[in-house]
């Protein structure tokens, strides 16, 4: 029995894919067992050829390696589910803190600590168990050398034939499997690939058409405008196009269109392709503002240590007061200096005394109201550039606040009953349909908060740019979703939008499905060109 258990453990470690969605669909995921792992054949042959001296250490090392790869594969499963990509064994450890905080929001701190300890213990036991399993199988093969060679030879021929023919299971898994070898290659190559990317990025950051541009020759068309850049967390293309849950978002866009049109505003919309999905908002923000493609932590750290001209700093250099409205920042944020803000408002700066809304420290409408009091509504102020990050639509999308009268927000205490009467996050996350419904409600709320402020307090000289940072997790959009996010520019002065005619964006708050898609890192230069002297009418 122990031999059978060892064989099953090693076999599953070799053939189970790193994405749950790659398992055969429907009631037949067990057919994934109908695979031949080439790694087992190669390892078996190596074990049979090993001399007695030093053999045990090599066998244990092989088992430990397979165990560690299996742990990485389990992490990959989680990464694909949330971030739609593989785990980077060099750069991604920093995300452990975000994962811990997400679980705290979902199941509570005590349960999260228990889960974390359990995962660590399970990983240790898995590695130890894999070492034992390989040792056990090695002992059996040495006792039956002729039978082992015959089995390896027969399976090897079958693997070769199946590989040449490209035979696949339902769902696309190849029967002639090499998943563990691929994972090992990815893991081993992570460090040299990251070193090569670091060198590549160091060259990219030096290429900047606007580095030495005279500030007097930048953003000349917006010198008399207040500009607000609003990021809506997890506002992805699917939020407006997936009929399974887009109703609340479309209703919000329609209602706000009517209000803003009545107030004299016009808008144009398109799509940007984000460097991240499911999370990693700071990668999207830095990409958008810097004009460089920031798709990993290494690039982000290198960027914020550079003197790259950001869109926010360009406004500051051109005479605007530049402020960062960052309610999601709860700890020290030294990277903020890179963006060139004159002032940063973090979660402690808004005078909020209400309850948190899961991950989000406070509701978006309260943030916009505080922005009005702290900056936008001040008499006699300078022209303003405000970069605002709205967090109410951050996972886990429960509880979702409600829009209140702008004069009734007070210090936020009014939100106490809203949280108390809301369905628990844990209950929402038991049902995929509820997750999607609450996600859409949260996006609609963030849009209502941002555009409601514009309708309530905006003026003839206000220009609003708002966009999503990335698509939500695959539990909402699935695994085949694009990385597109909507982006919209709103203004009263028609000459403002005339400057982006060449972009091909469509009229309205909702981009047409055929609207152009640009990479997010192209926006900075396009914006600076459109609203600088080169964008003047000829």
């Amino acid at each position: 029995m122990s031999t059978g258990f060892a064989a099953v453990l090693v076999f599953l470690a070799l053939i189970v894919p790193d994405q749950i969605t790659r398992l055969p669909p429907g009631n037949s995921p067990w057919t994934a067992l109908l695979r031949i792992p080439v790694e087992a054949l190669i390892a078996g042959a190596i074990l049979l050829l090993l001399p007695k001296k030093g053999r045990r250490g090599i066998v244990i090392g092989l088992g430990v390696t397979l165990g560690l790869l299996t742990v990485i594969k389990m992490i990959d499963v989680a990464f694909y589910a949330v971030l739609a990509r593989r785990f980077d064994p060099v750069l991604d450890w920093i995300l452990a803190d975000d994962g811990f905080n997400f679980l705290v929001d979902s199941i509570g701190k005590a349960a999260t600590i228990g889960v974390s300890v359990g995962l660590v213990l399970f990983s240790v036991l898995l590695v130890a168990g894999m070492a034992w399993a390989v040792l056990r199988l090695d002992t059996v093969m040495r006792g039956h050398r002729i039978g082992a060679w015959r089995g390896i030879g027969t399976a090897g021929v079958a693997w070769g034939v199946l590989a040449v023919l490209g035979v696949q299971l339902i769902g696309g898994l190849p029967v002639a499997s090499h998943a563990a070898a691929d994972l090992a290659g990815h893991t081993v190559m992570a460090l040299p690939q990251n070193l090569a990317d670091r060198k590549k990025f160091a060259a990219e950051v030096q290429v900047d058409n606007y580095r030495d541009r005279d500030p007097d020759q930048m953003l000349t068309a917006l010198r008399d405008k207040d500009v607000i850049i609003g990021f809506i967390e997890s506002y992805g293309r699917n939020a407006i196009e997936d009929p399974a849950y887009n109703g609340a978002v479309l209703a919000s866009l329609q209602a706000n269109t009517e209000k803003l049109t009545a107030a004299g505003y016009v808008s144009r919309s398109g799509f940007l392709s984000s460097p991240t999905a499911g999370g990693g908002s700071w990668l999207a923000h830095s990409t958008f503002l810097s004009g460089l493609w920031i798709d990993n932590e290494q690039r982000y750290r290198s960027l914020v240590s550079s003197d790259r001209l950001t869109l926010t700093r360009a406004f500051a250099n051109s005479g605007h007061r530049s402020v960062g409205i960052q309610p999601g920042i709860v700890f020290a944020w030294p990277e903020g200096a890179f963006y060139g803000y004159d002032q940063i408002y973090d979660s402690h700066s808004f005078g909020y005394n209400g309850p948190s809304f899961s991950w989000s420290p406070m509701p978006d409408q309260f943030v916009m109201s505080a922005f009005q009091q702290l900056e936008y509504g001040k008499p006699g102020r300078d022209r303003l550039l405000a970069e605002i990050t709205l967090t109410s639509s951050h996972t886990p999308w429960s509880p979702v606040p409600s829009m209140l009268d702008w004069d009734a927000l007070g210090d936020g205490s009014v939100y106490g009953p809203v949280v108390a009467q809301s369905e628990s996050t844990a209950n929402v996350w038991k049902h995929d349909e509820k997750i999607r419904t609450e996600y859409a409600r949260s996006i609609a709320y963030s849009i209502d908060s941002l555009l409601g402020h514009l309708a309530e307090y905006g003026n003839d000289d206000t220009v609003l740019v708002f966009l999503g940072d990335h698509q939500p997790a695959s539990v909402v959009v699935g695994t085949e979703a694009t990385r597109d996010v909507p982006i919209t520019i709103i203004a009263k002065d028609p000459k403002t939008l005339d400057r982006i005619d060449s972009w091909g964006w469509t009229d309205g708050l909702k981009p047409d499905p055929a609207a152009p898609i640009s990479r997010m890192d192209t926006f900075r230069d396009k914006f600076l060109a459109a609203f600088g002297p080169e964008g003047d009418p000829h």
Side-chain angles (χ1 to χ4, degrees):
M1 181 177 290
S2 61
T3 301
F5 178 75
V8 169
L9 185 63
V10 171
F11 180 69
L12 291 176
L14 293 173
I15 61 96
V16 171
D18 58 4
Q19 301 179 57
I20 295 298
T21 54
R22 294 199 67 199
L23 289 171
N27 297 320
S28 57
W30 59 269
T31 59
L33 300 177
L34 303 177
R35 307 177 74 197
I36 302 175
V38 69
E39 302 87 356
L41 308 181
I42 296 172
I46 291 173
L47 291 178
L48 288 172
L49 293 172
L50 282 176
K52 289 185 178 180
K53 186 176 182 181
R55 179 189 190 94
R56 184 177 178 85
I58 294 174
V59 174
I60 292 175
L62 185 62
V64 169
T65 299
L66 180 57
L68 291 172
L69 284 174
T70 306
V71 171
I72 291 175
K73 183 184 291 187
M74 294 167 59
I75 298 174
D76 276 348
V77 169
F79 264 64
Y80 273 114
V82 177
L83 299 177
R85 64 173 177 84
R86 271 180 166 169
F87 168 68
D88 188 314
V90 176
L91 302 177
D92 281 337
W93 295 106
I94 192 172
L95 300 179
D97 185 54
D98 287 337
F100 183 88
N101 290 333
F102 171 74
L103 283 178
V104 169
D105 290 335
S106 301
I107 62 176
K109 189 169 185 177
T112 299
I113 292 174
V115 168
S116 301
V117 171
L119 288 174
V120 171
L121 290 176
F122 177 77
S123 299
V124 172
L125 290 174
L126 180 60
V127 172
M130 206 65 71
W132 165 83
V134 175
L135 271 173
R136 178 61 185 167
L137 294 177
D138 176 59
T139 301
V140 172
M141 286 194 302
R142 281 189 289 116
H144 303 81
R145 295 180 67 87
I146 295 177
W149 276 117
R150 287 175 177 170
I152 290 172
T154 301
V157 170
W159 189 94
V161 171
L162 292 167
V164 170
L165 295 176
V167 178
Q168 295 183 341
L169 300 172
I170 298 173
L173 284 177
V175 177
S177 170
H178 44 79
D182 290 344
L183 178 59
H186 170 76
T187 304
V188 169
M189 291 302 297
L191 181 58
Q193 287 173 349
N194 287 326
L195 290 174
D197 185 62
R198 177 178 292 180
K199 183 177 180 180
K200 179 183 177 183
F201 183 74
E204 290 176 0
V205 79
Q206 297 303 317
V207 179
D208 188 351
N209 294 330
Y210 291 94
R211 177 195 296 271
D212 300 319
R213 185 71 61 91
D214 186 335
D216 288 339
Q217 296 301 306
M218 295 178 67
L219 297 168
T220 50
L222 296 174
R223 290 293 170 84
D224 60 346
K225 306 293 184 185
D226 293 315
V227 180
I228 300 172
I229 299 174
F231 284 98
I232 295 180
E233 170 69 34
S234 300
Y235 178 37
R237 181 169 190 153
N238 285 52
I240 60 175
E241 292 188 351
D242 193 326
Y245 51 84
N246 67 354
V249 180
L250 295 183
S252 170
L253 292 174
Q254 180 59 38
N256 282 290
T257 294
E258 294 172 1
K259 286 192 297 184
L260 293 175
T261 299
Y265 289 97
V266 290
S267 57
R268 301 230 187 125
S269 300
F271 292 106
L272 298 179
S273 179
S274 175
T276 185
S281 302
W282 59 95
L283 304 179
H285 295 194
S286 56
T287 294
F288 181 82
L289 296 172
S290 72
L292 290 170
W293 191 251
I294 311 299
D295 60 351
N296 62 55
E297 192 65 22
Q298 177 175 271
R299 283 183 164 235
Y300 177 72
R301 294 297 172 188
S302 298
L303 173 69
V304 297
S305 299
S306 74
D307 61 353
R308 179 77 175 186
L309 179 72
T310 63
L311 201 53
T312 45
R313 189 179 292 278
F315 271 100
N317 291 348
S318 299
H320 283 69
R321 173 170 167 77
S322 178
V323 299
I325 308 298
Q326 306 292 340
I329 302 298
V330 296
F331 302 111
W333 189 45
E335 306 97 302
F338 163 74
Y339 292 101
Y341 300 115
D342 292 305
Q343 185 162 347
I344 296 173
Y345 296 91
D346 62 15
S347 62
H348 309 292
S349 307
F350 298 101
Y352 182 70
N353 290 309
S356 63
F357 281 74
S358 199
W359 187 92
S360 181
M362 66 196 72
D364 289 344
Q365 187 185 8
F366 186 90
V367 171
M368 296 307 301
S369 178
F371 165 63
Q372 177 66 23
Q373 297 172 31
L374 294 168
E375 289 286 346
Y376 195 74
K378 283 186 174 180
R381 59 169 173 77
D382 294 334
R383 285 301 182 193
L384 194 64
L385 178 281
E387 192 261 292
I388 302 176
T389 301
L390 298 179
T391 61
S392 288
S393 52
H394 193 286
T395 52
W397 309 304
S398 177
V400 178
S402 302
M403 288 296 293
L404 304 175
D405 188 282
W406 288 92
D407 295 327
L409 302 182
D411 66 353
S413 303
V414 67
Y415 290 105
V418 176
V419 172
Q421 297 167 12
S422 297
E423 189 171 11
S424 70
T425 302
N427 191 51
V428 168
W429 275 75
K430 291 178 182 177
H431 311 282
D432 287 353
E433 186 176 347
K434 280 188 177 181
I435 295 173
R436 297 185 186 101
T437 298
E438 295 306 290
Y439 160 73
R441 289 184 60 229
S442 72
I443 294 293
Y445 171 76
S446 293
I447 292 172
D448 288 343
S449 298
L450 183 63
L451 300 188
H453 175 272
L454 180 63
E456 186 78 12
Y457 300 109
N459 56 53
D460 292 349
D461 296 323
T462 305
V463 176
L464 172 63
V465 182
F466 80 96
L467 68 154
D469 48 14
H470 54 70
Q471 290 262 43
S474 59
V475 68
V476 174
V477 297
T479 58
E480 302 299 322
T482 69
R483 291 197 170 190
D484 299 346
V485 297
I487 179 169
T488 300
I489 298 181
I490 307 173
K492 276 191 177 181
D493 184 354
K495 294 179 181 178
T496 300
L497 296 186
D498 288 346
R499 286 180 166 264
I500 64 170
D501 278 344
S502 63
W503 296 5
W505 287 12
T506 55
D507 292 336
L509 301 179
K510 176 183 176 295
D512 186 272
I517 306 166
S518 303
R519 283 195 4 159
M520 192 174 280
D521 58 335
T522 65
F523 183 83
R524 187 206 70 158
D525 284 12
K526 288 174 63 176
F527 189 87
L528 290 175
F531 293 100
E534 55 263 66
D536 290 344
H538 297 291

